[in-house]
Amino acid sequence: MDAQGQTDEQVLQPAATRQPGATSTASVPDTAGATPAMAQFLEIKAANPDSLLFYRMGDFYELFFNDAEEASRALGITLTKRGKHGGQDIPMCGVPVHAADDYLQKLIARGFRVAVCEQLEDPAEAKKRGSKAVVRRDVTRLVTPSTITEEKLLDPTDTSWLVSVARAKGDDTMALAAVDITTGAFRLFATAPDRLVSDVLRIAPKEIVCAQSLFDDPELRGAWDVFGTTVQPLAASLFDSSNAEAKLARFYGVATPDGFGSFSRAELAAAAGAVAYVEKTQIDERPSLQIPEREQDVGTLFIDAATRANLELEQTLSGKRAGSLLKAIDRTVSPGGARLLLERLRAPSTDVATINERLDAVAWFMANASAESATRSALKAAPDMPRALSRLSLNRGGPRDLQAIARGLETAITIADSLSRSTPDGEVARALSTVEADMPHALRTMLGEALADELPLLARDGGFARAGHNTELDELRALRDQSRQVIAGLQTRYADETGVRSLKIKHNNVLGYFIEVTALNAEALTATDEAKAQFIHRQTLANAMRFTTTELADMETRIANAAGKALAIELDIFAKLRDAVVVAGDEVRAIAHALAVIDIATGFSTLAAEEGFCRPRVDETLGFDVVAGRHPVVEQALRRQAANPFVANDCTLSPPDDAGDGGALWVLTGPNMGGKSTFLRQNALITIMAQTGSFVPAGSAHIGVVDRLFSRVGASDDLAQGRSTFMVEMVETAAILNQATDRSLVILDEIGRGTATYDGLAIAWAAVEYLHEHNRCRTLFATHFHELTALTAKLGRMRNVTMQVREHDGDVVFLHAVAPGAADRSYGLQVAKLAGLPGAVIDRARDVLHQLEQDEGGKKADQLIDDLPLFSAIPKAKPQPANAEPSALVEQLSAIVPDELTPREALEVVYRLKALLPPQKP
């Protein structure tokens, strides 16, 4: 209970004013007049009003009332009915238990949360309480987007974070707690209202929880709107920092969490909220989570939400992974490696030592191709140990999860033994040290000895324990599987002992197993007291006598119970192995992380060799010098299309020798379609790749570590927030100008284009001056305002560069090359012509442009309208009375039948019609 006397289960219910997503939130009917089974359903549903209730009935999960209606629509399954309640038919639909995972996946993808209600007793037990007794049921877990653990429902290459947002009372500091129960990761982050969106999007959670009071804060309304239905507001008491330490101590089973480290009140509150939500969704199971670990934001490259979207790091603007930077550079071969790469791409490092250690590892594998090939081959077989461990800790794992741990440890040993002979460098050396230091050899041996080669999916299916591991189990299996051979062996022994060759052991449903001899041979089993003691008479027939022995009776019992006992022994073996794995959870996760690190290093090595990437020089300076840089995504796309090769370009933003200590500012001019946006983005992506620890697409590259990366490229609006394209542009530009430091890299494209020409020019002009004088950061500034190029006269670190083009016979040829200087014009008409605008429009636009350039834009619009050549060729029609006679021109046109004219006749008609026109003004 909390300080107010409420249990976690009570306060975890979402507020009535909040509908957190596509969940079942309709009112629950009362139980009056309901059948016992339906009354039970309604009671359990009332305790889980925000979730669809999967109510187990035999081999199906059934849904009723509003849950059934919503599920049938979402899943496309038939809606039926079952009985009546309150005089109305009860809507019902159901899904088979064996196929429930597939349906759960669809529901979770549509934003639903599902409460799984299982039968907690055998129906036979319920009948003992009376003929109308209902099987005892209760919710065993809540399935939500961030708490899925089933292998079929998870993307092996993606993380599954739950983020808890909290604010400490008094000092108003804020923090995030990120928990991934599929891997056991638990991290804490400091944050603030102005960077909450960026920090949360960097983690990319599946779910977000926060206190209802925080959700209602007007200052944070914009953030919650960005996250949408991902947010789940809960009772504020769950995030109370005053009892947060006690909650954490109870969860981890320790007296105090002081040994975990020193955390702020906001961090403790966020951690407590995350733990409370995990406990609620997992009911009686406790996932194996690492102790909370604080992540310092100063160690990672800050990338705001707009920049992440503009640069298409994880997915394109259309939401696809194909075409993103991640897709272009991911050469990992294991699930753990793919997830770690994703995390590093979301938060590139700013620690020079860490970056260079990662680059050292890539360089070592490039220099040791055979080691790289052997390592990648071994990694392809590496199972997903963290997620297997998570399922085992939650009692949802099976024998194959144990096998995943065993094979993962064996893979780690194989790779470590192979690489240690070659003296690897960089991050790989530390990874191998981790494998050597943390390898749980006893667990590895235990799993290897206990598990068979071929394993069932579920422990209850049995057959996963290796033959020879347990003597009693082997005997029971022999009895279960080879009962005929066992009985035949016993029969042979009795025949030998008695000398009765015709002795048989038979079976029927009345006596069970019995020994049968003919009446003539019965004396051999009854002649002596010793024989009588061994062979107990059971039945006398006309021509035969039947006996049993204590041994035969025991064997019969053992055969009858062999299957059940064998399964019980195997389940006990499974439980012991599972517990041993969970106890060694920290070591298993450390080794899995080491394998992921090695996977990334070999993947980057393969990428560099395939794509011709170079090792960047990363240091603490403000340097930025890229020679022959390329866009990693566009270059690969051109190669797939067999198009012209990508044109590489240099970019030097290092502080000029004669212009102080700030970074250079390049003003880039040139036509649309000339490659400006590609050039801007490629330098941002090269920076991200370098600080992630990858080689980069360039001839050479020197990157002084960047602390913040801002990219404002492309146009978009935000209609939900009432923001026009220009307003979004200004908001994003304001964030850049207010946050960029002298260590930042800023990429800006077409600032000011969304308003009137002079307004836009003025804004762009002032922004360039501010970036140069105040932010002093390394900047690429693309613009069509050619007037800005004049600023080089007074801004010492500014340089003008342009995208080169050539004109030929009135057409423009884009060279996609960056060169010093300024563009002489924008070539907009040529681009419009390439786009397919009608020729008349192009000609008129060229005429208007010529007049505007001659008059420097002073000619009035109505004067230009009077000169419109497209329409001045035909006199304006004068209003005619309704009964007016048609003009001679109209009569002549009406009489023409075009399809009947010869070319000569058509030409004569044109002359004749022209003669009917009134005289033209000179």
Side-chain angles (χ1 to χ4, degrees):
M1 285 195 177
D2 63 13
Q4 285 74 38
Q6 295 174 293
T7 65
D8 284 351
E9 187 165 338
Q10 290 170 323
V11 297
L12 267 162
Q13 302 302 333
T17 57
R18 166 69 171 165
Q19 292 187 359
T23 53
S24 179
T25 55
S27 59
V28 180
D30 60 48
T31 59
T35 64
M38 199 52 57
Q40 184 187 60
F41 170 88
L42 293 172
E43 289 173 359
I44 297 173
K45 174 62 183 176
N48 299 273
D50 62 317
S51 302
L52 297 178
L53 184 61
F54 268 32
Y55 185 74
R56 178 74 176 265
M57 299 186 79
D59 293 331
F60 279 79
Y61 288 119
E62 305 288 6
L63 299 97
F64 300 100
F65 297 102
N66 186 63
D67 284 7
E69 294 173 348
E70 293 191 14
S72 67
R73 286 193 297 268
L75 299 174
I77 58 179
T78 302
L79 182 68
T80 61
K81 58 185 179 181
R82 176 190 173 109
K84 293 181 179 292
H85 183 72
Q88 301 293 322
D89 290 334
I90 300 174
M92 181 187 82
C93 68
V95 301
V97 170
H98 68 85
D101 284 355
D102 295 333
Y103 293 102
L104 280 174
Q105 185 178 34
K106 293 178 181 178
L107 290 172
I108 296 301
R110 286 165 172 76
F112 289 93
R113 293 175 173 83
V114 179
V116 180
C117 179
E118 296 285 2
Q119 296 178 178
L120 302 183
E121 64 178 348
D122 189 279
E125 292 296 319
K127 289 183 179 180
K128 294 178 182 178
R129 299 194 300 270
S131 59
K132 295 185 178 182
V134 180
V135 175
R136 191 160 53 88
R137 297 179 177 88
D138 206 349
V139 172
T140 57
R141 64 179 293 208
L142 298 178
V143 184
T144 69
S146 67
T147 59
I148 298 171
T149 56
E150 286 79 2
E151 187 174 11
K152 289 175 59 177
L153 307 186
L154 290 170
D155 180 350
T157 66
D158 198 4
T159 54
S160 187
W161 292 107
L162 162 72
V163 163
S164 168
V165 185
R167 180 172 59 193
K169 295 179 181 178
D171 59 10
D172 284 339
T173 57
M174 295 186 68
L176 308 175
V179 172
D180 186 345
I181 70 168
T182 69
T183 62
F186 195 163
R187 300 171 189 167
L188 302 177
F189 308 80
T191 189
D194 62 346
R195 56 178 293 168
L196 177 61
V197 171
S198 296
D199 286 342
V200 171
L201 292 182
R202 172 163 69 91
I203 302 169
K206 304 299 184 186
E207 272 187 288
I208 304 168
V209 295
C210 67
Q212 182 70 53
S213 56
L214 197 62
F215 183 80
D216 293 335
D217 188 340
E219 182 184 8
L220 300 176
R221 173 50 49 197
W224 305 133
D225 288 342
V226 169
F227 304 142
T229 56
T230 307
V231 184
Q232 176 88 327
L234 306 174
S237 57
L238 294 177
F239 302 85
D240 187 353
S241 59
S242 62
N243 59 19
E245 290 185 333
K247 287 184 178 180
L248 291 173
R250 184 182 71 245
F251 181 82
Y252 284 99
V254 296
T256 173
D258 290 347
F260 300 165
S262 178
F263 303 117
S264 68
R265 291 175 58 213
E267 289 170 336
L268 287 170
V275 165
Y277 192 70
V278 168
E279 288 181 323
K280 166 64 177 177
T281 57
Q282 304 310 303
I283 314 296
D284 295 327
E285 303 297 341
R286 187 180 73 84
S288 176
L289 297 182
Q290 296 172 291
I291 62 174
E293 177 183 1
R294 178 191 286 120
E295 287 211 359
Q296 302 291 343
D297 58 354
V298 295
T300 57
L301 174 62
F302 176 82
I303 307 174
D304 66 9
T307 301
R308 289 183 186 279
N310 289 334
L311 295 180
E312 300 180 310
L313 300 184
E314 298 178 42
Q315 59 183 23
T316 63
L317 295 175
S318 61
K320 298 178 181 178
R321 179 163 286 195
S324 68
L325 175 63
L326 176 63
K327 180 66 174 179
I329 67 173
D330 186 3
R331 298 294 187 276
T332 58
V333 294
S334 70
R339 291 195 300 270
L340 184 58
L341 172 60
L342 178 58
E343 289 189 39
R344 289 186 175 181
L345 192 62
R346 287 170 177 168
S349 178
T350 56
D351 182 76
V352 172
T354 298
I355 295 169
N356 281 300
E357 189 179 51
R358 294 174 181 176
L359 294 172
D360 288 342
V362 179
W364 186 87
F365 275 117
M366 289 196 72
N368 294 269
S370 59
E372 177 205 279
S373 177
T375 302
R376 286 175 66 79
S377 179
L379 283 169
K380 288 178 182 178
D384 199 340
M385 288 196 288
R387 287 188 166 170
L389 172 63
S390 173
R391 286 188 290 273
L392 290 168
S393 70
L394 290 166
N395 282 322
R396 295 184 198 130
R400 294 179 188 175
D401 291 309
L402 292 175
Q403 186 181 57
I405 303 297
R407 290 183 176 175
L409 296 178
E410 291 298 331
T411 299
I413 287 289
T414 300
I415 292 175
D417 288 346
S418 175
L419 293 179
S420 61
R421 294 192 293 270
S422 306
T423 316
D425 197 7
E427 193 178 30
V428 172
R430 282 201 304 112
L432 295 182
S433 297
T434 297
V435 172
E436 181 179 351
D438 291 336
M439 177 60 65
H441 291 287
L443 175 64
R444 174 170 153 255
T445 301
M446 182 188 306
L447 292 172
E449 293 176 348
L451 296 175
D453 295 331
E454 299 294 329
L455 301 178
L457 177 64
L458 303 174
R460 67 169 180 260
D461 294 336
F464 56 83
R466 184 181 295 277
H469 176 67
N470 183 288
T471 303
E472 184 180 2
L473 175 62
D474 290 343
E475 293 176 353
L476 290 170
R477 283 175 170 173
L479 286 172
R480 180 197 65 195
D481 302 332
Q482 304 172 17
S483 57
R484 290 186 179 180
Q485 293 89 330
V486 172
I487 294 298
L490 190 61
Q491 174 180 291
T492 300
R493 180 156 61 85
Y494 286 161
D496 291 340
E497 290 176 356
T498 60
V500 179
R501 308 321 276 166
S502 60
L503 181 146
K504 302 293 182 186
I505 296 181
K506 297 182 178 182
H507 181 275
N508 64 33
N509 292 332
V510 177
L511 297 180
Y513 283 102
F514 55 87
I515 301 167
E516 183 175 282
V517 294
T518 63
L520 294 176
N521 291 321
E523 184 177 356
L525 280 66
T526 60
T528 66
D529 292 339
E530 182 179 355
K532 290 179 180 179
Q534 181 180 6
F535 297 98
I536 304 168
H537 180 259
R538 295 289 304 276
Q539 192 176 30
T540 299
L541 302 178
N543 298 314
M545 291 185 68
R546 291 173 175 174
F547 300 85
T548 188
T549 66
T550 303
E551 182 182 19
L552 180 59
D554 290 343
M555 185 170 291
E556 179 179 9
T557 302
R558 292 173 63 195
I559 289 173
N561 299 329
K565 286 186 176 181
L567 180 58
I569 291 174
E570 281 203 270
L571 292 177
D572 184 61
I573 292 171
F574 177 83
K576 291 177 179 177
L577 294 175
R578 180 197 62 215
D579 292 346
V581 168
V582 172
V583 168
D586 289 341
E587 291 83 358
V588 170
R589 275 189 289 262
I591 291 170
H593 179 76
L595 292 180
V597 165
I598 296 171
D599 190 12
I600 289 180
T602 60
F604 278 159
S605 173
T606 300
L607 173 71
E610 290 176 352
E611 302 294 331
F613 290 178
C614 74
R615 174 173 181 163
R617 177 162 63 95
V618 182
D619 55 29
E620 298 282 3
T621 70
L622 294 180
F624 193 99
D625 188 10
V626 176
V627 177
R630 313 186 302 276
H631 193 297
V633 181
V634 175
E635 183 181 37
Q636 292 181 28
L638 290 176
R639 189 183 304 122
R640 286 193 298 269
Q641 298 165 10
N644 293 328
F646 188 90
V647 177
N649 282 296
D650 300 346
C651 181
T652 300
L653 300 177
S654 302
D657 294 336
D658 58 349
D661 59 354
L665 186 155
W666 275 19
V667 171
L668 176 64
T669 53
N672 287 317
M673 297 291 294
K676 294 198 305 295
S677 294
T678 299
F679 178 70
L680 296 179
R681 287 186 171 98
Q682 76 185 37
N683 286 288
L685 297 181
I686 286 172
T687 301
I688 290 173
M689 291 174 65
Q691 294 189 206
T692 299
S694 169
F695 283 25
V696 299
S700 66
H702 171 207
I703 308 292
V705 73
V706 174
D707 66 344
R708 294 176 173 225
L709 175 63
F710 298 97
S711 174
R712 207 288 156 196
V713 182
S716 62
D717 55 31
D718 188 355
L719 299 180
Q721 297 295 314
R723 294 175 176 175
S724 66
T725 301
F726 180 66
M727 183 60 178
V728 171
E729 176 186 317
M730 289 298 97
V731 169
E732 293 177 0
T733 304
I736 294 172
L737 298 179
N738 288 325
Q739 298 180 56
T741 72
D742 61 348
R743 298 207 65 89
S744 300
L745 176 63
V746 171
I747 309 295
L748 287 169
D749 186 22
E750 305 296 355
I751 296 303
R753 64 182 166 182
T755 186
T757 302
Y758 290 119
D759 282 357
L761 173 59
I763 292 170
W765 188 293
V768 168
E769 291 182 334
Y770 194 85
L771 286 163
H772 187 279
E773 298 299 313
H774 179 76
N775 301 109
R776 307 180 69 81
C777 52
R778 292 159 284 185
T779 305
L780 287 172
F781 194 104
T783 184
H784 279 296
F785 295 128
H786 296 168
E787 295 85 350
L788 295 180
T789 59
L791 282 169
T792 53
K794 74 167 189 173
L795 302 181
R797 297 190 314 281
M798 176 177 156
R799 299 289 182 269
N800 288 326
V801 292
T802 184
M803 303 303 302
Q804 291 185 308
V805 297
R806 292 287 183 271
E807 280 192 279
H808 180 71
D809 293 336
D811 293 328
V812 63
V813 178
F814 302 112
L815 303 180
H816 303 296
V818 178
D824 56 350
R825 50 202 169 99
S826 294
Y827 297 92
L829 297 183
Q830 288 82 351
V831 175
K833 182 179 178 181
L834 288 174
L837 266 66
V841 174
I842 298 297
D843 292 341
R844 176 55 178 161
R846 185 177 288 111
D847 182 52
V848 171
L849 176 63
H850 177 69
Q851 295 183 52
L852 290 173
E853 289 176 339
Q854 281 189 330
D855 200 44
E856 296 182 354
K859 202 166 189 178
K860 293 183 179 179
D862 57 353
Q863 291 175 299
L864 289 172
I865 291 172
D866 288 341
D867 293 337
L868 286 177
L870 289 177
F871 305 102
S872 61
I874 300 177
K876 297 178 181 178
K878 296 180 180 180
Q880 298 288 330
N883 59 354
E885 293 293 329
S887 68
L889 179 62
V890 172
E891 288 180 343
Q892 290 275 358
L893 286 171
S894 300
I896 294 173
V897 182
D899 293 338
E900 297 179 358
L901 295 177
T902 66
R904 182 179 182 83
E905 290 171 340
L907 183 60
E908 292 174 352
V909 167
V910 172
Y911 282 112
R912 188 165 65 247
L913 293 175
K914 184 172 177 62
L916 295 175
L917 292 175
Q920 302 296 307
K921 293 180 180 180

